[in-house]
Amino acid sequence: MKRRSFLGKTLIGSLATLIVPKALSASNKPNFSEVIKNEKGPISICTWNFVKANAAAGKALESDLDALSSAIKAAEVEELNDKNTTVGYGGAPDREGNVTLDACVMDHKGDCGSVVAVQNIVHVAALARDVMEKTPHVMLAAEGAESFAKSLGYKQTNLLTEESKESWLEWSKNSKYKPIINIENHDTIGVLCMDKKGNIAGACSTSGLSYKMKGRVGDSSIIGSGLYVDNEIGGAVATGMGEEIIKTVGSFLIVELMRQGYSPQDACDEAIQRIIRKQGEHVDFQVAYIALDKQGRVGSSSIHKGFTYMKYQNGENKNIEVNNFINS
Ligand code: ASP
C-alpha cells in the first residue's frame, strides 16, 4: 500500500503508533569520517513550486558559484516577484498596512545572518548575508537593519503594490484576525544548495503571515527554526505556521536527527509528527519542511496535503509532491 493512502486510512485512529520516534541502533548511526560528499553534481532544493527561483540557483551552482550565493540567487527571484504575496515586493502587509520582511542565511562554515521586520528593502536575504559578513552580529531588526541597508547602498522600494493594498483594504473592512496559515496562503521561499565542492548553505525569505500584528516575527529569520545548516551533516528549511516551527525549533531538530542517523525523509517526518503530537488531531494550520544531507539525499514532509518542493540536479528541475500526515 502506498504510504500516503496508508496514512490517510489510519492516521487519526492510530496516530500514537505512527509517531513513535525511531530508535537508533549502533549499526544505523553514521560514521562521519566515512561520509562522502555528493558525487552526482550540485543540488538546489527549494520550498513550493518556485521553478524559476530554483533553476536560477541550480544553474548558478553548475557555473561554479558557491552554495550560499546560489541560494540567495533563488531567494532574489521570489523577492522580486510581485505575484508572490508572502515574499519581498508585493508581500502582504501587517494589519496596519506595513509590509515587513524577515530573512536569514547560513553558510557551510556555520556562520549565519538574519534581518527581521525590515521595510522598504526588497533583497533581505542578501541583507542577512551582509549582516553575517559585515557586522559583528547575527541579527539586525527594523530601523537598525534598514539604516544598515542604506549605508550599503540598498535601493529603497515601497513594497506595498496596488494589488496587495487593495486586498488589505478589503480585509480591513472586517479586520478579522485569525493567525491561521492554511495550505493556500503561504509561499515563503526556503532554499538549500550543495555546490560542486560538496558544501551546503541555505537562505530563507518571507513577508510572514498576512495581516499579522505589527511587530510579529515568524520562524523565517530565526536560525534553527526557519533554517539550519551544519555542513558536516546537512540542512533543513521550513515554511508554514512560524509560531509552531519556532516552538519545536524545527530545522535544527531535523539536522540533529540526521546527525543521529535519520535519513532526511525520516527526520522531516519526525519533525512534522512532533507538531501533530502536541496539537492532537485538530491541526488546522500547515507546516512543511525540506532537508538535504551531505550525501545529496533529500527529504520533505508536511502536515497537510498541498505542499510541493523543487529539486534541481544535472540540468533537471523537478517539482516533487510531499508526504503529508493529515488528509483534510
Ligand atoms: N513561515 C512563515 C512565517 O511564519 C510564513 C510562511 O511560510 O508563509 O512567517
Side-chain angles (χ1 to χ4, degrees):
M1 193 187 287
K2 277 201 157 157
R3 188 171 178 284
R4 183 183 302 278
S5 54
F6 168 77
L7 287 173
K9 288 198 175 68
T10 60
L11 177 78
I12 303 304
S14 52
L15 203 56
T17 54
L18 285 172
I19 57 184
V20 173
K22 190 172 136 179
L24 288 170
S25 68
S27 61
N28 66 9
K29 282 192 180 170
N31 172 358
F32 289 110
S33 60
E34 284 175 7
V35 169
I36 40 142
K37 74 173 196 220
N38 166 48
E39 300 295 347
K40 295 184 210 122
I43 304 174
S44 174
I45 58 173
C46 80
T47 52
W48 302 104
N49 192 16
F50 297 140
V51 178
K52 282 191 192 149
N54 203 50
K59 286 182 184 145
L61 290 164
E62 279 172 350
S63 66
D64 270 353
L65 203 66
D66 64 90
L68 181 63
S69 309
S70 304
I72 291 172
K73 270 197 184 296
E76 282 173 345
V77 172
E78 286 310 312
E79 287 168 346
L80 269 179
N81 176 3
D82 62 345
K83 300 289 171 243
N84 184 335
T85 57
T86 318
V87 182
Y89 178 65
D94 65 16
R95 56 199 314 178
E96 295 176 27
N98 310 302
V99 183
T100 60
L101 307 181
D102 301 332
C104 71
V105 297
M106 193 153 186
D107 73 7
H108 69 284
K109 292 179 285 185
D111 287 331
C112 52
S114 154
V115 290
V116 305
V118 175
Q119 296 188 52
N120 303 315
I121 305 289
V122 175
H123 292 308
V124 280
L127 185 59
R129 180 190 196 153
D130 282 326
V131 171
M132 173 177 92
E133 291 178 345
K134 298 179 180 150
T135 79
H137 308 301
V138 163
M139 205 170 204
L140 287 184
E143 289 94 342
E146 289 152 25
S147 3
F148 175 60
K150 270 183 227 157
S151 75
L152 295 177
Y154 278 74
K155 206 174 116 200
Q156 297 280 294
T157 308
N158 176 8
L159 302 173
L160 189 66
T161 56
E162 271 314 305
E163 238 174 306
S164 313
K165 190 175 172 182
E166 270 168 37
S167 313
W168 168 65
L169 288 173
E170 193 51 40
W171 170 85
S172 36
K173 286 183 188 157
N174 296 316
S175 301
K176 278 206 182 110
Y177 180 63
K178 202 177 172 221
I180 295 293
I181 279 200
N182 62 32
I183 55 172
E184 289 89 32
N185 71 354
H186 60 108
D187 290 309
T188 291
I189 182 156
V191 197
L192 293 167
C193 288
M194 182 189 270
D195 61 26
K196 282 190 181 166
K197 292 185 176 146
N199 286 328
I200 298 176
C204 191
S205 184
T206 193
S207 56
L209 276 171
S210 307
Y211 319 133
K212 60 196 176 187
M213 286 178 73
K214 186 175 181 187
R216 181 265 185 189
V217 172
D219 62 299
S220 306
S221 54
I222 311 291
I223 296 295
S225 294
L227 167 71
Y228 195 72
V229 173
D230 181 332
N231 196 44
E232 196 183 50
I233 311 298
V237 276
T239 181
M241 185 58 116
E243 283 71 6
E244 301 303 320
I245 298 163
I246 292 172
K247 285 183 209 167
T248 47
V249 200
S251 294
F252 182 72
L253 171 64
I254 291 168
V255 173
E256 290 310 300
L257 288 169
M258 294 195 296
R259 191 190 305 279
Q260 292 169 34
Y262 282 59
S263 67
Q265 183 57 50
D266 287 347
C268 289
D269 284 345
E270 170 58 16
I272 289 294
Q273 286 168 343
R274 272 206 196 175
I275 296 173
I276 297 173
R277 274 204 293 275
K278 287 191 198 304
Q279 300 285 334
E281 64 199 63
H282 303 295
V283 188
D284 59 357
F285 54 81
Q286 175 70 303
V287 169
Y289 293 107
I290 59 173
L292 169 68
D293 77 3
K294 196 65 179 163
Q295 297 162 65
R297 296 181 301 170
V298 167
S300 182
S301 194
S302 64
I303 296 178
H304 295 281
K305 201 169 160 55
F307 176 67
T308 63
Y309 72 97
M310 295 299 305
K311 178 181 175 190
Y312 187 105
Q313 191 167 33
N314 292 321
E316 193 187 14
N317 198 22
K318 283 193 293 192
N319 185 238
I320 301 169
E321 242 191 87
V322 167
N323 285 332
N324 64 285
F325 282 88
I326 293 187
N327 287 314
S328 55

